Amino acid sequence: MLWDDFQTNTGRIIHKWEHYFPAYEEMFSSFRNKTITFLEIGCGSGGSLQMWRRYFGPLSVIVGIDINPSCMEFEEHGIHVRIGDQSDPVFLAQVVEEFGVPDIVLDDGSHIMKHVNASFDFFYPKLSMNSIYMVEDLHTAYWEDFGGGLHSEFSFINRTKQMIDLLNAHHSRGTVPITEFNKTTYSMHIYDSIVAFRKGRGRKYQPMIGAAD
C-alpha cells in the first residue's frame, strides 16, 4: 500500500530506496489511522512527510526536523517542521516539549554516525512501550567519511551488534549485563541498511512446563 502511494506520488519529491517499503509496512502498519506522533529526522525534499501523513491518516501528527531552514516551507495541515541539529539535546528537548514523545522515530537525517548515535541516545530511552525507532541508510555505517567503518567503534551497525547481546542478556549466565535497553526493548529488526527497534516491557523468564498430550 505504501509502495503504491510512492509510485503514484504527485506531491513533493520522495527519496526512498525501493527495498525499504516492506520494512516500513512491517514496522508501521499497526499504527495507521490511530492518534500518533510520527517524527522524521531529515526532511529531504518534503515528499516523505506528505507520504507519511497520507499513510498514517488524519489522526496523525507528522513532525519533521532538519538543519536546513528552507525546509520550513514543507509545513502544511498536519505536518510540522522544526529547524535544528539532530545531535543537539536542547533542540530535541524543545521538540518533545512541543509535540510530546513521538510514537515512531525515523532517522533519515545526516547519516553521520555521531549524529545517529546522539539522536538514538536522546529519543530511545524516552519512547513508551510499543513505540518504534528506525534508523535507515545505515550503509553509511561502513563509510569512514560518515564516521563509520567495518570495525569502527562509532558505527551504529557495530553498536547494533552489541545491542543484540544486550537484548539476550537474560540468557547469558551473567556474561552480559542487564540494562535499561534489555528491560525496555521487545525486539530488534535488521534489514538491508535499516535497523528498527520495538519498545516493550521487560520480560520475566520462568521455566515453563508444557501440558501433557
Side-chain angles (χ1 to χ4, degrees):
M1 181 176 295
L2 190 57
W3 173 243
D4 292 337
D5 182 279
F6 175 76
Q7 289 185 302
T8 58
N9 173 54
T10 58
R12 298 183 185 276
I13 295 173
I14 305 171
H15 298 280
K16 298 291 184 184
W17 291 95
E18 178 179 347
H19 66 276
Y20 287 4
F21 286 82
Y24 293 152
E25 291 283 6
E26 182 176 354
M27 299 304 302
F28 299 159
S29 61
S30 64
F31 292 85
R32 296 188 69 221
N33 298 314
K34 295 181 179 178
T35 303
I36 68 161
T37 299
F38 178 95
L39 186 144
E40 185 167 32
I41 302 172
C43 296
S45 298
S48 62
L49 297 174
Q50 293 178 324
M51 180 182 72
W52 296 125
R53 175 66 174 173
R54 293 191 297 268
Y55 181 71
F56 289 111
L59 299 178
S60 64
V61 174
I62 309 300
V63 181
I65 64 174
D66 203 289
I67 201 168
N68 184 356
S70 66
C71 291
M72 286 299 300
E73 69 182 67
F74 303 149
E75 285 203 315
E76 57 185 70
H77 179 70
I79 297 176
H80 310 269
V81 176
R82 296 295 179 265
I83 304 303
D85 185 336
Q86 73 171 97
S87 65
D88 179 2
V90 174
F91 164 66
L92 298 180
Q94 292 171 346
V95 173
V96 169
E97 182 178 2
E98 182 176 3
F99 296 102
V101 176
D103 301 283
I104 301 173
V105 176
L106 175 60
D107 186 348
D108 186 21
S110 72
H111 312 308
I112 295 171
M113 292 303 102
K114 66 179 181 180
H115 298 163
V116 172
N117 282 297
S119 298
F120 183 83
D121 288 340
F122 178 85
F123 280 115
Y124 194 73
K126 295 176 172 56
L127 297 186
S128 63
M129 298 301 101
N130 301 314
S131 296
I132 302 291
Y133 196 101
M134 178 181 284
V135 185
E136 65 184 36
D137 291 346
L138 277 173
H139 41 274
T140 63
Y142 298 95
W143 300 351
E144 292 184 1
D145 51 330
F146 280 73
L150 180 60
H151 302 295
S152 169
E153 64 179 302
F154 305 109
S155 160
F156 196 78
I157 290 291
N158 284 334
R159 183 176 180 181
T160 297
K161 296 173 186 177
Q162 297 171 359
M163 287 189 281
I164 292 172
D165 289 331
L166 292 176
L167 186 68
N168 290 283
H170 283 288
H171 309 292
S172 71
R173 295 182 175 177
T175 59
V176 179
I178 304 297
T179 67
E180 282 303 306
F181 178 84
N182 172 276
K183 295 175 183 178
T184 61
T185 301
Y186 178 75
S187 60
M188 298 171 59
H189 305 255
I190 315 298
Y191 308 89
D192 180 347
S193 299
I194 290 177
V195 176
F197 305 82
R198 185 182 296 276
K199 294 293 289 277
R201 299 193 182 280
R203 296 164 301 289
K204 295 181 179 179
Y205 292 92
Q206 305 253 345
M208 300 296 292
I209 301 175
D213 293 335

